[in-house]
Amino acid sequence: MPNDALRDSLAEKRWLTALSEGDTNALGGIYELYGERIFRYTFRLLGNRTDAEDATAETFLRVLRRSAELRADGAFRTWLFRIARNLCIDKLRQHKLMELPPDAQYSGSEERSALRVTIQQALNQLPREYQDPLVLCDLEELSAKEAADVLEISVPALKSRLYRGRRALRDKLGSLLERTS
């Protein structure tokens, strides 16, 4: 395990233990570890900064509400992403969101920004069953086992969706890039 991952794992255990013992300030430590990743994940799923901020905040509020039940057993990250995913699904059911958010911030050159927008458009056009594995594994770098746990599917099913999703994304990108050329 790389040093950063080991350090994060030890910090996670320390914060979860403190939170389960009633130290509500420990939620700040957990947020430091996962807040940015959960926000990125919810933003990718929702495509809207405000909704992503709401979903991220609600994710951590649910952690606080369930703090007495927390165990530092290594499954916390999976559980956290599952909460965020379920909140996003609920939000998406509430209203249809625009494909590309007007408030999205893309840094870098114009060409790089255009490529990011094109990739996001292609990802948004994929069925949810392909989007989720791609975002979790390729963008958020969760392992296949963790992503399968978040999505509540088997690892072989995840790998199949990941393969099909990557192929579909490649096809979409090919047609989108041809149109922009």
Side-chain angles (χ1 to χ4, degrees):
M1 189 180 277
N3 272 348
D4 288 344
L6 179 60
R7 187 179 62 241
D8 287 351
S9 176
L10 293 173
E12 175 188 295
K13 286 179 183 177
R14 188 177 68 246
W15 291 123
L16 288 175
T17 300
L19 189 60
S20 69
E21 292 172 354
D23 181 3
T24 56
N25 293 325
L27 186 64
I30 294 170
Y31 185 84
E32 280 292 314
L33 287 174
Y34 293 111
E36 185 177 328
R37 290 184 71 189
I38 293 296
F39 173 77
R40 281 193 323 255
Y41 178 60
T42 59
F43 185 79
R44 285 180 178 125
L45 292 179
L46 297 170
N48 177 290
R49 183 171 301 283
T50 303
D51 287 343
E53 288 170 350
D54 291 347
T56 301
E58 181 61 29
T59 298
F60 286 95
L61 281 173
R62 290 192 181 185
V63 169
L64 185 60
R65 284 187 207 124
R66 308 259 322 258
S67 61
E69 304 167 30
L70 296 176
R71 295 182 325 270
D73 63 0
F76 175 75
R77 182 167 79 161
T78 301
W79 179 69
L80 188 65
F81 273 90
R82 186 177 299 139
I83 290 171
R85 177 179 181 267
N86 290 340
L87 288 167
C88 289
I89 288 170
D90 290 345
K91 276 231 185 269
L92 289 170
R93 285 181 183 145
Q94 290 172 4
H95 55 84
K96 194 83 170 156
L97 299 174
M98 295 172 52
E99 277 190 27
L100 282 176
D103 57 344
Q105 300 293 315
Y106 298 102
S107 59
S109 70
E110 285 183 31
E111 187 175 298
R112 188 173 176 179
S113 294
L115 181 60
R116 285 184 179 164
V117 168
T118 302
I119 291 169
Q120 187 65 46
Q121 281 179 325
L123 188 61
N124 288 345
Q125 291 174 4
L126 296 179
R128 173 70 50 204
E129 71 179 288
Y130 297 155
Q131 282 182 29
D132 289 340
L134 287 170
V135 170
L136 289 169
C137 293
D138 293 346
L139 299 175
E140 291 304 326
E141 300 177 353
L142 266 63
S143 70
K145 170 83 172 99
E146 288 174 315
D149 288 346
V150 168
L151 298 173
E152 297 177 319
I153 60 175
S154 68
V155 172
L158 174 98
K159 288 182 178 181
S160 174
R161 289 179 186 184
L162 199 53
Y163 171 78
R164 290 181 183 141
R166 286 174 179 153
R167 192 175 63 206
L169 184 62
R170 222 178 358 259
D171 292 346
K172 290 268 186 215
L173 284 173
S175 64
L176 284 173
L177 290 174
E178 286 172 10
R179 280 189 282 172
T180 60
S181 298

